[in-house]
Amino acid sequence: MKAGIVGLPNVGKSTLFNCLSNAKAQSANYPFCTIEPNIGVINVPDSRLTKIAAIVNPQRVQPATVEIVDIAGLVKGASRGEGLGNKFLGNIRETDAIIHILRCFDNDNITHVDTSIDPVRDKETIDIELQLKDLESLEKRLDKIKRAAKIGDKDAKKELAVLERIKESLERAKSIRALDFTSDERDEYIKPLQFLTDKPVLYVCNVDEASATKGNAYVDAVKELVKDEEAEVLVLAVATEADIAELEDHEEQQLFLDELGLTETGSSRLIRSAYKLLNLQTYFTAGEKEVRAWTIHFGDRAPQAAGVIHSDFEKGFIRAEVIKYDDFILYGSEAKVKEAGKLAVQGKEYVVQDGDMMNFRFNV
């Protein structure tokens, strides 16, 4: 699963990307420093994995991961191709969620593409470009569906009603993610078109060090603006996070965080937020060779979870042996969990819960 970092040029996207991954994206004080998207595979912080490993003592430990994509800065007119806009908008289309970074700090030494600091204006600039691109995609589909609906195609008539609602919304500068549709309407008519403004979004307010814990007036304005979007707002001092990330000693990192009044790095908070934004959860497998976190969607059933390990596990699924994480930590081993009668045998309809420890039985 991929989350793309977007925003205007020079708002801190590549600096944030560098905090999140081991890949070092180029970062400089001029627009379009990033041309090709940088991709980093990021480990999802999870203390449960560490605690399971401490009990099992495996040969290796494998955390869950999310791909983060650093997409070049968009500008006004991107939907018409300004600033290589079509290419960059195409990069966004390939992601599953958007991390929208907004500049919320003053610094005369760092240029802004619009010469002044206004995160509300910046957000609306990006939104409008994404909405215009969605309108362009929508018009192509509408022409085809209107013709089918005219000759009495019932499915086409249903899709036409959905697409016309979307068109009306976009023309009022309202993103598709804010509209209410049934799950069937989304699955059949909306998801296949990969609309940019239908992707879930996390707003990151990039602040100065002094505003890292409490935010500032710019952050307050952003929160007020997005209060009806059901979107999360994260406050990060990205330049400071970059300094923390350069420290290899964990104790030094913690001292730095303590001085700022923070309990953990912003990168850890952001990665977990991105994971949640993508509607993802974790289950675990544990053995002498490996303790591993596996990524699935909320609502996935046991065979789907098994299929993440190998397609044969899903095809030949028989049952899943499930231990709750809290029970494993409490009793201290799989054998003791079994003795306590806390191991459950689940079938194909079992909906996997976040933190489940699972062992699959299958036959192909």
Side-chain angles (χ1 to χ4, degrees), residues 13-27 242 245:
K13 298 184 305 300
S14 294
T15 305
L16 177 61
F17 176 83
N18 288 340
C19 291
L20 297 174
S21 76
N22 292 325
K24 294 296 180 184
Q26 187 181 5
S27 177

Side-chain angles (χ1 to χ4, degrees), residues 8 45 54 146 213 236 238 270 310 334 345 363:
L8 292 175
K146 282 179 180 177
T213 54
L236 291 183
V238 174
L270 189 145
H310 196 286
E334 183 176 334
V345 177
N363 184 33

Side-chain angles (χ1 to χ4, degrees), residues 309-335:
I309 300 176
H310 196 286
S311 58
D312 284 349
F313 283 31
E314 182 172 5
K315 291 175 186 175
F317 179 89
I318 299 172
R319 66 179 184 272
E321 297 171 355
V322 182
I323 296 173
K324 296 301 179 185
Y325 166 78
D326 288 341
D327 288 335
F328 186 77
I329 299 301
L330 176 63
Y331 292 102
S333 73
E334 183 176 334

Side-chain angles (χ1 to χ4, degrees), residues 114-125:
D114 287 326
T115 71
S116 62
I117 309 305
D118 185 347
V120 170
R121 176 203 60 208
D122 294 353
K123 175 192 176 302
E124 291 173 344
T125 296

Side-chain angles (χ1 to χ4, degrees), residues 23-162:
K24 294 296 180 184
Q26 187 181 5
S27 177
N29 185 24
Y30 55 86
F32 305 117
C33 176
T34 301
I35 301 298
E36 294 298 328
N38 297 293
I39 300 175
V41 179
I42 317 299
N43 291 339
V44 178
D46 195 328
S47 61
R48 297 174 300 182
L49 186 68
T50 306
K51 292 176 181 177
I52 293 170
I55 292 172
V56 177
N57 193 27
Q59 294 175 21
R60 61 181 178 270
V61 177
Q62 178 61 52
T65 60
V66 171
E67 280 192 10
I68 302 291
V69 186
D70 174 25
I71 295 167
L74 296 172
V75 293
K76 191 177 294 184
S79 58
R80 302 188 305 274
E82 294 292 332
L84 300 178
N86 285 328
K87 179 180 178 63
F88 300 162
L89 288 166
N91 295 148
I92 298 171
R93 197 177 302 282
E94 295 171 3
T95 66
D96 303 292
I98 293 172
I99 299 170
H100 187 165
I101 185 166
L102 296 162
R103 179 170 170 177
C104 295
F105 66 89
D106 295 305
N107 187 331
D108 293 338
N109 294 321
I110 300 177
T111 59
H112 189 290
V113 71
D114 287 326
T115 71
S116 62
I117 309 305
D118 185 347
V120 170
R121 176 203 60 208
D122 294 353
K123 175 192 176 302
E124 291 173 344
T125 296
I126 297 293
D127 284 352
I128 288 169
E129 296 307 321
L130 299 184
Q131 289 159 2
L132 288 172
K133 199 64 181 178
D134 278 350
L135 270 172
E136 182 184 303
S137 302
L138 182 68
E139 292 291 353
K140 295 175 184 177
R141 181 66 178 172
L142 268 174
D143 288 342
K144 179 179 180 180
I145 294 302
K146 282 179 180 177
R147 290 195 297 270
K150 277 183 180 178
I151 60 174
D153 187 317
K154 291 182 180 179
D155 284 338
K157 287 180 179 179
K158 290 179 183 177
E159 182 173 353
L160 182 61
V162 170

